[in-house]
Amino acid sequence: DAMVAAVPEPTSLALLGLGGAALLFLRRGRLFHRGLLGLAMFSGLFLFCLVSSAGAASLLFDVNDDDAGSPTQAGWIAADATGINNVTFTAVGLNAAGNAVVIDDRDRTGNGGGAEADMWRDFIFANGSNVDGTSGMDVTVSNLLADTTYYVSIWAYDDGSNQPRTATWTGSNGGTTEIFTFDGNLAPPVDLRDDRVDITAVTDASGVLTLEGRSGPNSHPHHNVFVNGMEISDTPPPPVVLTLEVNTDTGATRILNT
């Protein structure tokens, strides 16, 4: 009940299907499947894109404010709090006052520059994620291969969130865990090497991948779990050189991938 295309190793590829057609994307016949990987619809014509380079394939998600006017980064797949394009965001836990954490979003101009400025400017956050280890949000991505390890990059930054914001991110089904901090007092990001955390996650038997973001150690008393964008890939990111940046006024630090 699906149209299948087996493709060699292109630099990039795009498949076009007319409305109502089910499309299946594969790299060497096996990367992503059953997915509504739609980027846009033009007069009944659906455009689907899977980015592939040097033997690797990935899905790039721009996490948006769901209000009108929040842009999607060119070439990326839109995601927002309404659960579009197989990505959902679910609040988890209580804040320090005992109230439920809620999913919230913002659209800020000047929140990051470079070629990915539209990705940086808007984001989703867990409003009230201030209890270490228990408050935050779960992000799910569905319609992937079952029981498969994926490499995940998460970008997070908000220039309106001054002082360090710390989150712990864990990938599902035995994936890795990393602690990530950004500080809105520091200079905004300029490319995809900045304000980024990399983890692995394993899909379940239904092809659902879950990313658990929780308030991290020594977290800020307001909100700590943010997502501006994500990448889901079948290959690990290349090795990087890490640079430690220190705010000499506040003592805040962050690690940059350079």
Side-chain angles (χ1 to χ4, degrees):
D1 60 351
M3 180 175 68
V4 179
V7 231
E9 300 273 343
T11 299
S12 62
L13 60 92
L15 295 181
L16 295 177
L18 294 176
L23 279 152
L24 182 64
F25 272 96
L26 300 170
R27 182 185 68 82
R28 289 182 176 172
R30 65 168 302 277
L31 179 61
F32 301 106
H33 73 149
R34 294 183 307 153
L36 177 60
L37 305 180
L39 292 181
M41 180 179 73
F42 300 99
S43 301
L45 183 67
F46 289 83
L47 172 64
F48 294 76
C49 290
L50 173 62
V51 179
S52 177
S53 177
S58 65
L59 296 172
L60 292 165
F61 293 97
D62 180 4
V63 178
N64 295 331
D65 185 335
D66 59 14
D67 295 331
S70 180
T72 298
Q73 177 69 38
W76 293 44
I77 302 168
D80 62 32
T82 66
I84 61 174
N85 291 329
N86 301 315
V87 182
T88 66
F89 301 85
T90 304
V92 175
L94 305 176
N95 63 19
N99 299 314
V101 174
V102 297
I103 296 299
D104 208 342
D105 50 26
R106 294 289 186 272
D107 181 9
R108 304 197 194 281
T109 58
N111 200 52
E116 292 81 23
D118 281 344
M119 183 275 289
W120 288 116
R121 65 175 276 177
D122 40 21
F123 54 87
I124 281 176
F125 67 103
N127 192 328
S129 52
N130 58 13
V131 178
D132 296 2
T134 62
S135 64
M137 65 175 154
D138 286 348
V139 183
T140 65
V141 182
S142 59
N143 289 327
L144 302 175
L145 288 176
D147 303 313
T148 300
T149 298
Y150 287 94
Y151 300 87
V152 180
S153 297
I154 298 168
W155 292 277
Y157 179 81
D158 172 28
D159 68 354
S161 296
N162 53 19
Q163 301 179 347
R165 308 301 175 108
T166 301
T168 301
W169 284 99
T170 302
S172 53
N173 300 313
T176 58
T177 296
E178 295 290 343
I179 296 173
F180 168 76
T181 300
F182 75 85
D183 184 353
N185 282 327
L186 297 176
V190 296
D191 60 35
L192 296 182
R193 295 172 297 180
D194 297 339
D195 295 297
R196 165 181 177 157
V197 61
D198 298 313
I199 61 174
T200 62
V202 182
T203 52
D204 64 15
S206 298
V208 177
L209 178 144
T210 302
L211 310 173
E212 299 177 1
R214 301 292 184 269
S215 179
N218 303 312
S219 56
H220 191 275
H222 291 160
H223 329 292
N224 290 274
V225 184
F226 293 68
V227 183
N228 297 62
M230 303 181 300
E231 181 178 24
I232 313 295
S233 178
D234 68 341
T235 58
V240 296
V241 176
L242 301 180
T243 300
L244 180 66
E245 181 176 280
V246 180
N247 185 323
T248 56
D249 293 327
T250 67
T253 62
R254 70 172 173 176
I255 295 176
L256 302 178
N257 296 330
T258 57

